[in-house]
Amino acid sequence: MPTPMAIHVQGLRKRYAGFRSGVDALQGVDFDVARGEVFGFLGPNGAGKTTTLRILATTLSPTAGTATVSGHDVRKEPMAVRGSVGYMPEKSGAYPLLTGIQNLVYWGHLQDMDGSGLKDRARALLKELGLEEAADRKVKTYSHGMSRRLLMAQALVHDPPILLLDEPAGGLDPQGIRFFRDLVKRLQGEGKTIFLSSHILSEVEQTCTTVGIIHKGKMLAVDRMTALRQRIGASALVRVEVECDIPSQPVVQQLMAIPKVRMVYQLPDGIRVEAESGADIADEVARVLVTNHVRLRAVRPTEATLEEAFMSFFGGGPI
Amino acid sequence: MTGNPFVGTARVGWMEFWSHLKSPRLIILIVLFALLVFGASYGLSQSPTMGFTNSAYLFGHPAIRNETDGTHYLVIVWVADVRGTPMAGILLSLYNASFEPYGGGTRTLIENLTTNSTGWASADLGTSFPSNTSFVLQSESGGAYLMGMTYVSFDQTLSNRTFTLGAISTSSTIGPTGSVTIFYTHVLTTTGYPATGANVYLNDTSEGHPDANGFFSTSLAPGPQTVRITYNGYEESYMVMGNTNAGPTYQNGADVVLLTVTTFFGLLLPIAAIAISFDAVARERAQGSLEILLAQRVRREGILLGKFLGAFASVALPVTVVLLAGVGILTAVSDKAPTGTFVVAVVASSLFLVAVYTLLMLLFSTVAKSVGTAVVFGVVLWLFFNLFFSFVTTFVLFSSGGSFFNPGTYGTLVVLQLFDPNTLFSMLVFLAIPSSGGYSGLVPIGYVSTATVVGAAVLWVAVLLVLTLFVFHKKAES
């Protein structure tokens, strides 16, 4: 009888042995992912996201602890795990000298799929992912975005119930990021469990139902997205960066007088205004500068990066 | 884990095989290999006398000439190759040598000579009879291709003879039709001029006269024969030996050609195997497809065995085709086919060599962090077994006090050679030479048996395969 959890991780440790000193990439990680959930696995680079994903995909063996995927232990039943997950690694590539369709058919074969139905499925998938035109072109001619989509097709080819996506939108342009966001939503609608890693808050914010935050090999929090947003948001700062001439002291005083503004910093080519969480100060900042005849070149409300947000919330130092 | 450990082997193997068959590097290497095999098969199958080199032979004669001021004693020299073509400009030194009864002795330089345009040179020793001494004629041309030296003696019977012989000798070579022996001699009158009127008989059958330079040659049938030379009523007889075709090693000349063709395999086949497999794992790692491959429903053993079989087959198949085509050319040109079992053994031994280097490279390719490192590993490996291994084993053995005459040291050296796949390949080929009875210099009887050599080859492949599987299992997941 399968466990209700799609992914169950307990006390997971991974130590990379080194010549003189090893690295403890995971130091006892616990979390569960329920079926049908979209789980955002968040953390800065080097936190242990990829290590966790590789263990779940059985391409890396853990040092200690247990991990089960679809009720199968990654160590004891790796073949069963591989059959039930679709894995899209972060730094990976298809075979450059094969066409998209050849790559996909090969991977399908390695998932024990059959010849005739497989080819149709591969074509349909490539069409679904917008690679219909490029299907018979060699992969070396693909752009980065196309390669990522081909790898996504690879993860989907055997129609697995669970998807492990390592930074699926990494390095993509906004259009590509939106494409993956929509795809994840669609796949969630089909009832798939999706475990995706990211270091960008906005990427997971709109798609994930649950978020786990990992830092330096330890889980800092696992919570529903809505709950976590409230917790993090309460402590996060709002920021507006303005490219402009350097304002005079009275103008800075006026900026400081805008409600909820906490600090004004001078930058080499302008200023940065920080305000309390939830404040919408961009328009007001622009109005103050314009009425004081400060020449404006750009106004950019910037979101605090996830790292900063959760570091400020969890009290960690700079990363 | 249960079930078939080699799930996915066929798929991975076919992909590896198929992608290599289209790769330019395999095509280039196979074309090179084919040119060498075809060229050697064709060239070596030509006339059997191809085997005779153009080494120079030195013919020295004593001569007596009556001049106006008395009787002169001379040394007459002629230099030519085994076909009787004179060699000009050869530097020679004539020494007066005296020998002690139990070895040793002294020699003093009399004169330096140079052969003229027709290969002749002479030295006048004066008018007194040079008794109790030998004259040593020695090449000073660096000696690289000249038969080193010859002795010229004067004795009292010289005046009773009508001719002298510069040599009465044979030279043998192996060709596609078997062993060929040439008998040759150089006949001068006692006055030092070509004895063109002399008669040469082989087993009492007249074979003709020496040529204008006094040179005579003919081919000999296998077995002992009598050569008789007569001139102006005086004659000399000698026993000569034609090399027997059914020698201990070579029965069929076509086998010899095939054996000769295999001599460069130890250099070339490893290069082909290395060039195909050096990046089998490293490339997948570098381009990032290894991570995807490892996440598919295939076992690690299946992936590695598939990679091995695919890479092996992509070299083995064209190599086998080229080898068989070479045998076809050899058969067509020389009209004699090599022994079937020997052909099979040569193909099998070649595939052994390919298999070992493919596995070694898979191992290094798995360990290597980058494709570049894998290439370096391959080059070092090739150099190691082609150059260093024999040097190092021999050096270590003999520098630690061993000797070729010591059976223990020699036995150890022979056993150590089993650890060198290149030598092992040669041993396998030599063991299969038909009618050699398993004997050859490479596989000395009493030190190592056929079973040991074949067993060593099987162990090489088996141990490497297990080791590579183990390392791949460890390394892939890190």
Side-chain angles (χ1 to χ4, degrees), chain B residues 77-95:
Chain B
V77 196
W78 189 61
V79 179
D81 72 4
V82 76
R83 299 170 188 83
T85 306
M87 292 194 168
I90 305 286
L91 295 174
L92 303 160
S93 295
L94 181 65
Y95 296 92

Side-chain angles (χ1 to χ4, degrees), chain B residues 417-465:
Chain B
Q417 282 173 342
L418 298 177
F419 289 88
D420 173 5
N422 288 41
T423 310
L424 195 51
F425 161 75
S426 302
M427 285 182 169
L428 288 169
V429 170
F430 272 78
L431 274 176
I433 296 171
S435 83
S436 70
Y439 173 80
S440 81
L442 255 181
V443 193
I445 280 175
Y447 290 95
V448 63
S449 67
T450 305
T452 309
V453 174
V454 174
V458 172
L459 267 182
W460 256 103
V461 175
V463 169
L464 269 180
L465 191 60

Side-chain angles (χ1 to χ4, degrees), chain A residues 120-138:
Chain A
D120 296 340
R121 162 118 184 110
R123 286 229 177 258
L125 261 179
L126 289 177
K127 186 178 179 183
E128 195 185 328
L129 291 168
L131 290 171
E132 196 179 14
E133 310 260 303
D136 294 308
R137 259 167 51 196
K138 284 187 179 172

Side-chain angles (χ1 to χ4, degrees), chain A:
Chain A
M1 188 194 129
T3 58
M5 286 299 163
I7 299 171
H8 172 70
V9 172
Q10 197 168 23
L12 201 62
R13 291 177 175 276
K14 177 65 188 180
R15 182 177 172 81
Y16 291 108
F19 182 60
R20 288 213 178 84
S21 60
V23 176
D24 289 301
L26 298 181
Q27 306 173 26
V29 168
D30 309 284
F31 63 84
D32 289 297
V33 181
R35 286 179 193 280
E37 235 178 349
V38 180
F39 188 98
F41 197 45
L42 292 166
N45 295 328
K49 300 191 299 289
T50 296
T51 299
T52 308
L53 268 148
R54 291 190 64 199
I55 290 173
L56 293 177
T58 75
T59 65
L60 188 68
S61 45
T63 310
T66 55
T68 58
V69 178
S70 229
H72 305 291
D73 189 293
V74 293
R75 268 194 282 216
K76 291 173 193 143
E77 303 166 278
M79 292 292 266
V81 172
R82 287 169 201 159
S84 56
V85 301
Y87 172 45
M88 178 182 175
E90 182 195 5
K91 286 179 188 134
S92 62
Y95 297 96
L97 296 178
L98 300 185
T99 65
I101 197 90
Q102 283 169 338
N103 265 289
L104 213 46
V105 167
Y106 178 52
W107 288 317
H109 279 147
L110 294 182
Q111 284 288 354
D112 279 351
M113 292 179 73
D114 219 296
S116 55
L118 172 59
K119 219 158 192 171
D120 296 340
R121 162 118 184 110
R123 286 229 177 258
L125 261 179
L126 289 177
K127 186 178 179 183
E128 195 185 328
L129 291 168
L131 290 171
E132 196 179 14
E133 310 260 303
D136 294 308
R137 259 167 51 196
K138 284 187 179 172
V139 167
K140 64 179 179 184
T141 67
Y142 281 25
S143 67
H144 175 69
M146 292 163 82
S147 297
R148 297 299 290 167
R149 284 191 234 178
L150 179 62
L151 290 189
M152 189 69 202
Q154 172 271 138
L156 290 168
V157 71
H158 53 299
D159 198 22
I162 299 169
L163 290 166
L164 304 173
L165 313 178
D166 196 0
E167 303 269 2
L172 294 184
D173 56 17
Q175 203 182 343
I177 292 172
R178 198 176 321 122
F179 176 86
F180 269 97
R181 192 187 298 151
D182 294 345
L183 182 65
V184 166
K185 279 181 182 160
R186 197 160 75 232
L187 291 169
Q188 186 194 14
E190 292 171 17
K192 295 202 187 296
T193 306
I194 299 160
F195 182 90
L196 67 86
S197 78
S198 178
H199 63 275
I200 302 165
L201 176 63
S202 62
E203 199 180 289
V204 295
E205 222 176 1
Q206 297 174 41
T207 49
C208 295
T209 51
T210 307
V211 174
I213 296 171
I214 186 169
H215 182 54
K216 291 185 177 169
K218 288 176 185 149
M219 294 304 287
L220 295 183
V222 181
D223 212 336
R224 303 290 298 169
M225 188 68 221
T226 45
L228 201 74
R229 188 181 285 137
Q230 282 171 358
R231 284 165 69 188
I232 290 181
S235 70
L237 293 173
V238 170
R239 229 182 231 183
V240 177
E241 284 188 5
V242 187
E243 250 180 70
C244 60
D245 295 341
I246 304 303
S248 60
Q249 200 55 37
V251 179
V252 173
Q253 296 294 340
Q254 286 187 44
L255 288 171
M256 288 291 285
I258 296 171
K260 294 190 177 173
V261 165
R262 305 234 306 242
M263 190 59 77
V264 177
Y265 298 93
Q266 189 174 318
L267 301 176
D269 57 349
I271 54 167
R272 183 165 73 206
V273 184
E274 278 184 6
E276 285 163 26
S277 166
D280 190 3
I281 55 163
D283 290 347
E284 189 60 17
V285 168
R287 194 192 60 77
V288 168
L289 292 172
V290 168
T291 52
N292 285 286
H293 309 291
V294 177
R295 270 196 298 165
L296 266 184
R297 285 184 291 277
V299 179
R300 278 190 300 270
T302 60
E303 267 174 293
T305 62
L306 181 78
E307 289 93 316
E308 290 168 318
F310 77 72
M311 286 323 295
S312 67
F313 175 71
F314 291 102
I319 298 152

